[in-house]
Amino acid sequence: IDCPSWEKLNNKLPDQDGWYSQLLVSTEAALCWKVGTKLLLTSHTREDADKQFVTVTDCDPGTGILTVDPPVSPDIITTAQDPTYAVEVASLSRPVVFEADSDAGH
């Protein structure tokens, strides 16, 4: 599977207090963005200061639902609200694996 490094936020699921700790992304992203993945949510305004950083605390690849901490602002825009201006979600975690070509004979 090709892991997306970023995509537009599909939707958000409200908590009881009006903030959002569950985000809906593609199932491809949910397969790749595991617990501990650090995410950037771009600003929903023209102000860079409105960007948000979160960490995935739970994920359901079947539904594409990620639980994140800290919860995100209720002001963020999703593709369900406005596909043109939806915030983008980007993974800041990049796993790197080094493998030897061959170690035969050693």
Side-chain angles (χ1 to χ4, degrees):
I1 185 168
D2 288 331
C3 292
S5 55
W6 69 272
E7 65 181 34
K8 290 194 173 198
L9 180 61
N10 292 335
N11 213 338
K12 56 191 177 185
L13 307 171
D15 292 340
Q16 293 178 1
D17 61 1
W19 285 75
Y20 296 83
S21 62
Q22 291 190 315
L23 307 177
L24 182 61
V25 298
S26 69
T27 54
E28 293 82 12
L31 279 168
C32 298
W33 299 349
K34 309 263 186 224
V35 171
T37 299
K38 302 212 180 303
L39 302 175
L40 162 70
L41 281 78
T42 58
S43 176
H44 60 283
T45 69
R46 292 179 179 222
E47 299 298 321
D48 181 58
D50 289 329
K51 66 184 177 287
Q52 298 176 61
F53 296 95
V54 298
T55 302
V56 176
T57 58
D58 192 24
C59 67
D60 183 345
T63 62
I65 295 174
L66 301 178
T67 303
V68 298
D69 187 54
V72 299
S73 165
D75 299 325
I76 62 171
I77 301 167
T78 68
T79 57
Q81 296 168 295
D82 188 334
T84 303
Y85 295 107
V87 302
E88 295 167 342
V89 183
S91 171
L92 299 177
S93 301
R94 300 279 189 256
V96 177
V97 177
F98 294 94
E99 294 180 2
D101 286 338
S102 173
D103 61 354
H106 292 182

